[in-house]
Amino acid sequence: NAGVMQNPRHLVRRRGQEARLRCSPMKGHSHVYWYRQLPEEGLKFMVYLQKENIIDESGMPKERFSAEFPKEGPSILRIQQVVRGDSAAYFCASSPQGTSGNTIYFGEGSWLTVV
Amino acid sequence: GENVEQHPSTLSVQEGDSAVIKCTYSDSASNYFPWYKQELGKRPQLIIDIRSNVGEKKDQRIAVTLNKTAKHFSLHITETQPEDSAVYFCAAPAGGGGADGLTFGKGTHLIIQP
């Protein structure tokens, strides 16, 4: 039973380029969460999605960031026109249902470096 | 939404001693409290969790206690070992009893001194 799969693990982008991070949830999980972790800091909630629906995007910056979880395929976090401040680890997590009493499991993370 | 406070930010203990990390939460509707351990460069991994219908849960050297009245919960690690060195995060449901993600504390960097 494969865990949460994220790719790429490491991504380097120049300022102004686009970054696309992908996440495949655990088998049987239909809820996906994206978190950002800056160096030496905690986990900041960005967005919560179910298939074809964004449930809560209150933690996501209003500009340049978007997320989707299509009917087929992985969830994608997209960052347009990246800036140095976007450099961080981006963790995806999944759960079989919402977090009211349910565990969420994290992927290995995608480390974005903006140069 | 939920607000989770975690203390201390850094904790250094001698190998073999006990370590205690404390968290408080704001929403009385919250009903699920997990703890995650994150080693450097790795993903957060669930180590123990507790639901609001119990006051304590143990798993070998790790235990978690919950005080619903005071809205705080604690992680206890006994007989600490070098491999316990990591950052530990507590969490609570972001929407209290709702289903919209977890809010995490800022983390505790646990250092086990040999």
Side-chain angles (χ1 to χ4, degrees):
Chain A
N1 184 16
V4 179
M5 305 298 292
Q6 288 188 248
N7 70 83
R9 292 293 314 280
H10 298 276
L11 181 64
V12 179
R13 283 288 178 265
R14 295 186 185 279
R15 280 179 293 172
Q17 290 185 318
E18 178 180 289
R20 284 193 180 215
L21 311 177
R22 288 175 289 277
C23 169
S24 294
M26 284 179 72
K27 188 176 181 180
H29 288 192
S30 58
H31 296 242
V32 166
Y33 312 84
W34 284 94
Y35 286 83
R36 176 164 64 176
Q37 187 173 39
L38 294 168
E40 304 296 321
E41 292 193 12
L43 295 153
K44 296 291 188 184
F45 168 77
M46 298 182 74
V47 62
Y48 162 40
L49 311 103
Q50 295 178 31
K51 283 284 187 181
E52 299 185 277
N53 282 306
I54 297 173
I55 307 301
D56 181 358
E57 55 182 349
S58 59
M60 198 132 79
K62 293 288 187 286
E63 297 179 352
R64 303 189 298 109
F65 286 72
S66 63
E68 62 176 7
F69 189 14
K71 187 176 181 181
E72 301 291 337
S75 175
I76 295 174
L77 179 67
R78 182 183 178 201
I79 311 172
Q80 295 177 288
Q81 299 171 4
V82 296
V83 300
R84 289 225 170 102
D86 296 332
S87 295
Y90 291 84
F91 287 97
C92 172
S94 73
S95 68
Q97 301 173 44
T99 53
S100 180
N102 290 287
T103 302
I104 70 171
Y105 299 91
F106 284 89
E108 295 290 350
S110 290
W111 267 259
L112 171 65
T113 302
V114 180
V115 297
Chain B
E2 180 65 274
N3 183 42
V4 177
E5 299 284 339
Q6 183 171 349
H7 301 281
S9 56
T10 303
L11 178 60
S12 181
V13 301
Q14 289 293 125
E15 182 178 348
D17 287 351
S18 295
V20 181
I21 302 170
K22 299 180 180 180
C23 287
T24 60
Y25 61 98
S26 61
D27 194 325
S28 56
S30 286
N31 56 4
Y32 173 65
F33 306 94
W35 286 89
Y36 287 81
K37 175 184 179 182
Q38 186 179 29
E39 297 176 352
L40 189 63
K42 301 285 184 65
R43 64 187 170 99
Q45 288 192 283
L46 179 76
I47 55 171
I48 196 168
D49 56 17
I50 191 168
R51 287 166 172 76
S52 58
N53 58 344
V54 297
E56 184 175 6
K57 183 177 178 180
K58 285 184 180 178
D59 182 4
Q60 300 182 342
R61 297 187 295 108
I62 293 173
V64 57
T65 58
L66 172 64
N67 183 327
K68 286 180 60 180
T69 302
K71 290 191 281 190
H72 68 68
F73 56 112
S74 300
L75 177 71
H76 304 253
I77 306 174
T78 58
E79 300 172 19
T80 52
Q81 300 170 6
E83 54 265 35
D84 294 330
S85 293
V87 180
Y88 291 80
F89 294 97
C90 62
D100 50 1
L102 292 173
T103 295
F104 286 84
K106 291 186 183 298
T108 295
H109 187 188
L110 177 62
I111 301 165
I112 307 300
Q113 303 277 7

